[in-house]
Amino acid sequence: MAFGSWNWKDRNAGGSGLLYEPGNWGDLLKLSWLAAILRWKGRKGVSVYFDPFAGDVGYPLSGAGRARFNQAGADELDLIKKPFVEAGNWPSAATLAGRLPVGRRLLFDSDPEKRGRWARTPGVEVLAGESGWAIAAARRPEADELWLLDPYDFLADWQKFPPPAPPGSGAASVLLYLYNRSAENSAIFSAYREFCRWLKNSPGGRKSFRGRLAADAFLPRAHHEMHFLPGRADAERNDFSELSAVLKRLSLALAAAQAGEAIFTVL
């Protein structure tokens, strides 16, 4: 890991071995954006969902995660409330994608046990390769695809393995997740600024859209970020402004819900 390790700990689960707490504010932002984009792309036909860092099929959801979901009130995520949240589970992004207008789900994870569970999941194609980055680098992006790039620490790896789609043909739309710890020290802040410059100056001149939430409502020292880089065909659609407005609305609504938690809490 670059610049030291980071961890989200579930206060109620007693340690799950994960590097994050499922159902955190970043998960809410990520799944909301993913659902909105796939629904929007679905107006033109089913999409191909490509996720080379898929993680597991699902995760246990803590009481704090369930309360966070209820507080957020994200309309885009109503489809996971009954089958997952109310049952104490949190679906991965790839599981959510299977409930949306997606024709193929192409997935990979470095953990062989997780790959095995995906291989037993209907509608999923598990890809073969050395790593998620290597699989992404070898793939030729197509206009009907949505890529989700969500490794554990994007800023630690992106310079060694720059995402192939943004600086390349610009055919596929790409959704990136970052855990931004720039507030910790100047080295991380410099790395983050370099990443943002790369996005802005990458060949093709594509605009990117960023949504950000604090990692902790009370005392944020890091932020969850989603970066959406639309492919050429998507960016040229007549209704693209509608999608960008939805992404903005979702981000502002989640930020307002998070601010409410910081202002008034029952301890």
Side-chain angles (χ1 to χ4, degrees), residues 187-209:
I188 302 177
F189 182 49
S190 295
Y192 175 73
R193 290 185 67 183
E194 184 175 353
F195 166 76
C196 289
R197 283 194 296 268
W198 174 81
L199 276 185
K200 185 176 181 180
N201 299 321
S202 60
R206 286 195 292 176
K207 289 184 177 180
S208 62
F209 299 79

Side-chain angles (χ1 to χ4, degrees), residues 24 57 67 69-70 78 131 153 160 167-168 170 172 182 204 265:
N24 60 62
V57 175
F69 176 88
N70 292 333
D78 281 348
S131 70
D153 195 343
K160 293 183 290 184
S182 295
T265 305

Side-chain angles (χ1 to χ4, degrees), residues 41-59:
K41 285 181 70 68
R43 296 176 183 177
K44 297 290 186 179
V46 295
S47 303
V48 173
Y49 174 79
F50 173 64
D51 186 346
F53 306 97
D56 214 334
V57 175
Y59 307 92

Side-chain angles (χ1 to χ4, degrees), residues 16 19 22 44 63 66-67 73 75 113 120 125-126 133 154 165 182 189 201 206 212 251 262 264 267:
S16 61
L19 291 174
K44 297 290 186 179
R66 189 194 304 241
D75 293 343
E113 292 186 3
R120 297 188 294 273
E125 300 174 48
V126 178
W133 287 113
F154 193 98
S182 295
F189 182 49
N201 299 321
R206 286 195 292 176
R212 173 188 291 169
S251 304
F264 182 80
L267 301 176

